[in-house]
Amino acid sequence: MSGDGLVASGLTHGFADVAVLDGVDLRVARGAVLAILGPSGAGKTTLLNILGGLLVPEAGHVDRPFVRPTFVFQDPLLLPWRTARGNVAFGLAGKRLSHAERHARARTMLVKVGLGQSEAGRYPHQLSGGMKKRVALARALAVEPDLLLLDEAFSALDVGLSREMQQLVRLDAQERGVTVVLVTHDLSEAVRLADEAVVLSGRPGQIVARLFIDRPARLRDDAFVEAEIRRIAALEVIRDAFRPTLSG
Amino acid sequence: MPRIPWRRLAAGERRWAVLGIAIIVALWEAGHRAYGDFVLPSPLATLAALGRLAADGALGPAILTTARDACSGFLAATLAGSLLGGIAGRSRPVRAMLQPLATMLIGVPAIAWVVLSLLWFGGSGLAATFSVAVAAGPVVFSAATQGTRTVDGGLRTMARAFRVPAGAMIVDVYLPHVLSYLLPALGTALAMSWKVAVMAELLSGTGGIGDGLATARAEVDTAKTMAWVVVVVALLLVVERFVIEPVRRYFETWRRGLPGEAA
Ligand SMILES: Nc1ncnc2c1ncn2[C@@H]1O[C@H](COP(=O)(O)OP(=O)(O)O)[C@@H](O)[C@H]1O
Ligand SMILES: [Mg+2]
């Protein structure tokens, strides 16, 4: 169970001869949090799917010494015919647990993401977008992953809730030493949670900047986050990276 | 003057069903008065004939035999159709191979299957079962194929990411989606099974409602014939109301309140 953590080298991928990723190298130490930033269409989701083993890259290699990698997808991808509780329990289907235990765990985890008894019994089409996102988060956390891959997991939530969920993920990850890779277009999310952030940009996507945030996550107050965002946003590479989306 | 609650009256579905049946019976009676006993016996005369059938002890065994023929064929059609359809939905080559075959089989008239199976299986009870299975099977197969083929790729990826075992994959990801295609097809297939079973019995003379119809025809007894028709229709309605409808409701509770779905 030692190992170096997640190591990716020379990742190159494309869809139907459109190049999406070109020579991406990454290294995430065990228990560390990496944020992947970048404009829409830069290939963040593609990169995350490759890192998690859902997609085989055309070239390059991923070293993934983890036993339970888990995703929160950009679309919540809930089973429409299962209640919120049923969906969280479904994530535990691979574990040796009784039906009752699975549902008990699901209930507990739903409470942690702020969904009570009445929401737990509802079907996805009866939940708001933000609630669905939280069900997906609960489903991922319930399996107690050692590698957690979050694709814009907090984006459909309002500011307060998004902060709360970030806190939940941070505490859970710290407590159990979970390695986290999160994709986001929200700089403040990266600054609050990540030890390192990479910026993916261009076509095909390449890593154009690597930023390190040294202060431990639990010691980052609002003032620090604000100062850090201002510092990063002022960097030339960052402004260049996000410019294509501003103009079109 | 009290206002008539039209909306409430209109909302009672059962009332409308009763009204529909009443209209049919009225038309039947009118037809009887216009054309006489031989062409169209009155509803009452038919009921009397039905009573005689029951008193003779002919009704019960006939219903049982037809039910056995229809259900055994339907079961075979459901098992084979779902299994092959499920495989075809997942595998392009299998689909390419079996789909044209199913289309061809659907094109063969049910009565042709009856004649062929009588030639193949003779007077044994197997003829009816086989006709039913081969007539209903392709319908089930097509629905199962279509359902399996259209399962959301995102959900499949999600299930794979959570390393869900194969059993849960089938039960939780595939089945609920496939059922939304399969259940209506099974309803059609079940109705078809009764009709084909009666048809096969009529020609094979091995008992059942079809055999009863054949006898009534030989005796030129129109009231008896109508009585047998009423039995078949009643059986279809009972099966629809007490088997198909509850099953559909059970599997589709989650759809309630979905856009475009009745509450
Ligand atoms: N399954 C796919 N088939 C074809 N093109 C795809 C597929 N997935 C993503 N793409 C394309 O790859 C590019 C990167 O997509 P994505 O990784 O989703 O970007 P991001 O998550 O950064 O917005 C986009 O241009 C998108 O259209
Ligand atoms: Mg994306």
Side-chain angles (χ1 to χ4, degrees):
Chain A
M1 276 290 277
S2 62
D4 265 316
L6 190 66
V7 182
S9 49
L11 297 182
T12 297
H13 197 68
F15 292 105
D17 49 65
V18 179
V20 174
L21 294 174
D22 182 23
V24 172
D25 297 313
L26 279 178
R27 178 178 289 271
V28 194
R30 191 172 279 276
V33 180
L34 174 81
I36 300 172
L37 287 162
S40 172
K44 303 183 295 295
T45 297
T46 306
L47 176 57
L48 199 70
N49 287 346
I50 292 173
L51 292 177
L54 292 182
L55 206 60
V56 179
E58 276 163 15
H61 178 75
V62 180
D63 209 13
R64 193 184 312 105
F66 296 93
V67 262
R68 283 187 309 276
T70 305
F71 280 83
V72 174
F73 297 94
Q74 191 167 355
D75 301 322
L77 295 182
L78 303 179
L79 300 170
W81 40 79
R82 291 283 178 272
T83 58
R85 194 187 321 117
N87 267 285
V88 177
F90 176 74
L92 297 167
K95 298 216 168 198
R96 290 172 180 280
L97 293 172
S98 73
H99 180 85
E101 277 176 292
R102 268 199 280 272
H103 278 251
R105 270 214 212 179
R107 254 195 307 276
T108 313
M109 201 39 89
L110 280 171
V111 170
K112 281 197 190 174
V113 298
L115 297 174
Q117 192 64 40
S118 77
E119 284 101 345
R122 287 201 216 153
Y123 291 97
H125 71 267
Q126 299 165 323
L127 298 170
S128 73
M131 288 175 179
K132 281 186 246 189
K133 271 260 143 107
R134 283 185 279 158
V135 174
L137 182 61
R139 178 176 62 189
L141 294 180
V143 306
E144 304 191 331
D146 53 359
L147 173 64
L148 183 59
L149 302 145
L150 304 172
D151 197 348
E152 307 198 10
F154 311 106
S155 64
L157 308 172
D158 57 65
V159 182
L161 207 50
S162 153
R163 289 279 297 275
E164 250 177 69
M165 294 303 114
Q166 289 171 21
Q167 187 90 340
L168 177 70
V169 168
R170 186 173 67 75
L171 292 175
D172 192 69
Q174 271 169 0
E175 197 177 300
R176 295 187 300 104
V178 185
T179 309
V180 181
V181 180
L182 60 95
V183 161
T184 179
H185 51 240
D186 178 2
L187 201 49
S188 77
E189 186 180 317
V191 169
R192 275 206 186 85
L193 294 177
D195 304 304
E196 182 188 351
V198 296
V199 180
L200 198 64
S201 180
R203 259 161 225 251
Q206 285 176 314
I207 291 181
V208 295
R210 289 173 198 270
L211 311 158
F212 295 90
I213 302 150
D214 293 323
R215 186 186 290 205
R218 69 196 146 83
L219 300 178
R220 295 173 196 168
D221 51 18
D222 285 353
F224 172 83
V225 170
E226 221 166 283
E228 199 66 8
I229 290 174
R230 227 172 300 125
R231 176 179 77 84
I232 292 169
L235 295 173
E236 194 69 30
V237 272
I238 302 291
R239 276 187 287 160
D240 282 346
F242 283 91
R243 193 159 291 149
T245 48
L246 297 179
S247 62
Chain B
M1 205 173 85
R3 285 182 45 183
I4 301 167
W6 288 113
R7 267 170 188 283
R8 274 242 304 287
L9 275 179
E13 262 178 58
R14 193 159 299 168
R15 269 171 242 241
W16 289 105
V18 169
L19 184 64
I21 291 172
I23 288 175
I24 288 174
V25 172
L27 284 175
W28 181 355
E29 179 66 33
H32 162 67
R33 299 218 169 142
Y35 297 105
D37 254 337
F38 182 70
V39 174
L40 196 59
S42 75
L44 267 178
T46 304
L47 222 54
L50 189 58
R52 279 196 300 280
L53 284 177
D56 282 356
L59 191 59
I63 290 178
L64 279 184
T65 303
T66 302
R68 187 201 64 203
D69 289 344
C71 291
S72 59
F74 173 72
L75 212 65
T78 303
L79 289 180
S82 310
L83 193 70
L84 289 176
I87 295 170
R90 292 298 298 129
S91 153
R92 204 181 283 267
V94 174
R95 184 158 74 241
M97 195 169 70
L98 292 183
Q99 188 73 71
L101 201 67
T103 311
M104 256 163 55
L105 292 187
I106 288 177
V108 177
I111 193 71
W113 286 122
V114 172
V115 172
L116 281 174
S117 64
L118 281 176
L119 292 173
W120 292 339
F121 300 101
S124 75
L126 225 61
T129 302
F130 176 80
S131 315
V132 169
V134 84
V139 175
V140 178
F141 168 85
S142 290
T145 305
Q146 199 65 0
T148 315
R149 202 172 59 77
T150 52
V151 168
D152 187 343
L155 293 182
R156 288 208 315 251
T157 306
M158 180 278 290
R160 202 152 53 83
F162 278 85
R163 301 187 175 175
V164 156
M169 186 79 164
I170 292 171
V171 170
D172 293 323
V173 181
Y174 275 90
L175 205 58
H177 175 81
V178 173
L179 279 180
S180 66
Y181 284 76
L182 203 54
L183 286 178
L186 287 181
T188 311
L190 189 52
M192 194 190 236
S193 300
W194 286 99
K195 292 187 226 178
V196 176
V198 169
M199 224 188 287
E201 289 162 358
L202 190 135
L203 290 189
S204 70
T206 50
I209 295 173
D211 203 4
L213 268 172
T215 312
R217 177 180 168 274
E219 292 167 359
V220 205
D221 187 339
T222 320
K224 207 185 218 178
T225 308
M226 287 299 288
W228 283 117
V229 172
V230 168
V231 170
V232 175
V233 171
L235 277 175
L236 271 177
L237 287 179
V238 165
V239 167
E240 163 76 32
R241 183 81 177 70
F242 294 100
V243 179
I244 296 173
E245 193 59 16
V247 169
R248 199 185 61 77
R249 258 172 221 272
Y250 173 78
F251 281 108
E252 304 207 327
T253 35
W254 65 273
R255 282 180 181 274
R256 256 177 240 156
L258 215 60
E261 293 279 339

